[in-house]
Amino acid sequence: MKIAFFDAKPYDKPGFDRCAEENDIKIKYFETKLSEDTVNLAGGYDGVCVFVNDVVNKYVIDKLCEYGVKFIALRCAGYNNVDIQYCYGKIHVMHVPAYSPYAVAEHAIAMLLTSIRRIHKAYIRTRDFNFSLNNLDGFDLHGKTVGVVGTGKIGQCFINICKGFGMNVLCYDKFPNESLGLEYVDLDTIFEKCDIISLHCPLTDETKYMINKDSIERMKKGVVIINTSRGALIDTDALIEGIKARKVGAACLDVYEEESDFFFRDFSGHIVEDDTLARLISMPNVIVTSHQAYLTREALNNIAETTVENILTFEEKGFCPNELCYHCGKIDNCKTKGISKCF
Ligand code: NAI
């Protein structure tokens, strides 16, 4: 079994090397992302292993099939970068549905606390022996209302932490889970009533730009927006205007709609070409991390183990419980998922 591993980083290798060696899988690590320009590197491999910013569009899928690649093993949960419908009948796609929802939820909270207690500013000041407290005043989380959009695995972890802080939690989910005992409201209520809004839903055609000029206008003055899900949930230009108008009090962003050109790479010696990203980073009440929320030891180990398990199950059975649903049009009577071959 030979795997072409794209967008490889030093922190990916220990976990994957260990799991691959134990299971006689050969992994070739490529630092480059999978894209139309690099897909030829996949020739001669049984499968490709990709991450959030690899480009798996129709062209790439056709080329992978032409090269005899049998599967795409995503080492992440989200798959908005894969043309999943086009894959149906051509190439199998598996993902890692959960690796550590705690990691992402805890990072969202870390960004929130950093932002509202001005830790990022205080850190720089005290390193310079500036012990002034001027302009470092924050606010208590206790008693504030937080709106959680998406009450899946990560959303639930985030909610539990918020409850520990004594916050009131309002939730919105397209598919509410009534067994969780949460207070579900409509999206408008989230926008209008919440002091803090945290996004934990997937990026779809429906959720793209759910934070936009209109929704920001309806929010409370000083609202803090947290996004650890996908960048394009937020219309970044509208967010910047909202911050400039002093409507949005702070933004905590682990994802950015144009992140694939920048995130995971070192541009410290360069002039960054993206004026929108540069403007965001220049703002004192915006914290940007580069899709780092998942990056804990526990998550990296879980990612490697589940990805390799997915590959082995697929090799053995020709299908895998973590194969994605391609929405083939037979959704109502689809009985294949996880128990037999999809195609
Ligand atoms: P999940 O699938 O457990 O939960 C997603 C929730 O969103 C579900 O409850 C679902 O019903 C809901 N949802 C679906 N469509 C919706 C809509 N139109 N409006 C509102 N809610 C909707 O997923 P999980 O594991 O909680 O992950 C959430 C997101 O976090 C992922 O989609 C991914 O984009 C992001 N993520 C980010 C990471 C990072 O490092 N920054 C790492 C892992 C995931």
Side-chain angles (χ1 to χ4, degrees):
M1 175 70 78
K2 284 167 62 189
I3 310 292
F5 190 108
F6 286 89
D7 206 8
K9 296 286 182 272
Y11 46 79
D12 290 320
K13 292 181 188 172
F16 272 93
D17 278 345
R18 178 177 53 79
C19 293
E21 201 180 310
E22 283 166 9
N23 294 289
D24 206 20
I25 293 175
K26 305 240 171 324
I27 298 183
K28 172 76 181 172
Y29 294 103
F30 294 107
E31 281 182 26
T32 182
K33 285 197 280 270
L34 178 61
S35 69
E36 294 187 9
D37 297 330
T38 61
V39 64
N40 60 322
L41 294 170
Y45 290 89
D46 300 296
V48 292
C49 183
V50 301
F51 197 51
V52 292
N53 289 325
D54 293 286
V55 177
V56 193
N57 60 16
K58 291 184 176 63
Y59 178 90
V60 170
I61 293 161
D62 282 339
K63 282 287 169 193
L64 291 175
C65 294
E66 194 182 309
Y67 297 144
V69 176
K70 293 190 281 296
F71 61 84
I72 298 164
L74 283 153
R75 55 182 190 279
C76 51
Y79 47 89
N80 52 286
N81 54 328
V82 181
D83 190 335
I84 194 75
Q85 260 180 304
Y86 192 71
C87 288
Y88 179 67
K90 299 184 181 71
I91 187 162
H92 297 264
V93 190
M94 305 159 259
H95 75 149
V96 181
Y99 30 92
S100 175
Y102 308 104
V104 181
E106 288 169 15
H107 189 82
I109 292 288
M111 293 180 95
L112 173 63
L113 285 170
T114 302
S115 165
I116 66 161
R117 301 307 303 271
R118 322 295 292 148
I119 304 292
H120 55 308
K121 294 289 167 192
Y123 174 76
I124 293 166
R125 276 192 201 183
T126 53
R127 282 176 65 90
D128 202 24
F129 301 99
N130 173 356
F131 301 111
S132 158
L133 294 182
N134 294 346
N135 297 319
L136 293 185
D137 42 319
F139 63 83
D140 290 6
L141 287 178
H142 183 89
K144 296 293 180 304
T145 300
V146 59
V148 179
V149 180
T151 57
K153 293 177 284 297
I154 296 169
Q156 287 171 44
C157 292
F158 182 83
I159 289 166
N160 287 338
I161 300 173
C162 290
K163 286 184 173 169
F165 278 116
M167 302 170 82
N168 309 313
V169 183
L170 296 181
C171 303
Y172 171 75
D173 196 299
K174 191 177 175 193
F175 309 101
N177 182 345
E178 299 301 346
S179 71
L180 298 174
L182 300 170
E183 185 175 350
Y184 282 103
V185 294
D186 58 25
L187 206 44
D188 284 341
T189 308
I190 296 276
F191 294 148
E192 284 157 20
K193 293 251 160 47
C194 293
D195 305 295
I196 295 149
I197 296 174
S198 195
L199 306 177
H200 299 290
C201 62
L203 174 64
T204 62
D205 290 343
E206 204 177 347
T207 60
K208 184 170 182 196
Y209 288 176
M210 65 160 43
I211 305 295
N212 54 40
K213 187 170 181 287
D214 283 352
S215 52
I216 289 172
E217 264 165 22
R218 272 179 284 145
M219 289 176 195
K220 285 172 88 165
K221 186 171 162 53
V223 62
V224 179
I225 298 174
I226 309 167
N227 188 7
T228 55
S229 278
R230 286 293 179 266
L233 295 177
I234 298 181
D235 175 346
T236 314
D237 291 333
L239 176 67
I240 289 173
E241 286 312 311
I243 297 169
K244 282 164 71 182
R246 314 295 194 267
K247 182 75 189 244
V248 175
C252 305
L253 309 173
D254 186 52
V255 285
Y256 166 60
E257 53 181 319
E258 302 300 333
E259 69 178 48
S260 61
D261 290 339
F262 299 98
F263 282 16
F264 310 135
R265 289 156 63 202
D266 180 359
F267 283 89
S268 55
H270 298 254
I271 309 287
V272 166
E273 297 288 342
D274 185 323
D275 288 350
T276 308
L277 180 60
R279 185 72 180 106
L280 274 178
I281 289 172
S282 77
M283 291 171 147
N285 50 354
V286 175
I287 295 180
V288 175
T289 52
S290 58
H291 211 128
Q292 179 191 337
Y294 76 100
L295 199 68
T296 64
R297 253 195 321 271
E298 291 80 0
L300 289 169
N301 282 333
N302 290 340
I303 287 171
E305 281 165 17
T306 307
T307 307
V308 167
E309 206 174 290
N310 285 346
I311 292 169
L312 293 173
T313 309
F314 178 78
E315 187 190 26
E316 188 192 332
K317 299 183 173 164
F319 65 91
C320 162
N322 289 333
E323 185 159 354
L324 289 169
C325 174
Y326 308 90
H327 300 300
C328 58
K330 298 177 200 154
I331 288 170
D332 289 342
N333 59 5
C334 173
K335 296 191 179 63
T336 59
K337 193 160 167 42
I339 49 166
S340 67
K341 280 190 183 190
C342 185
F343 59 88

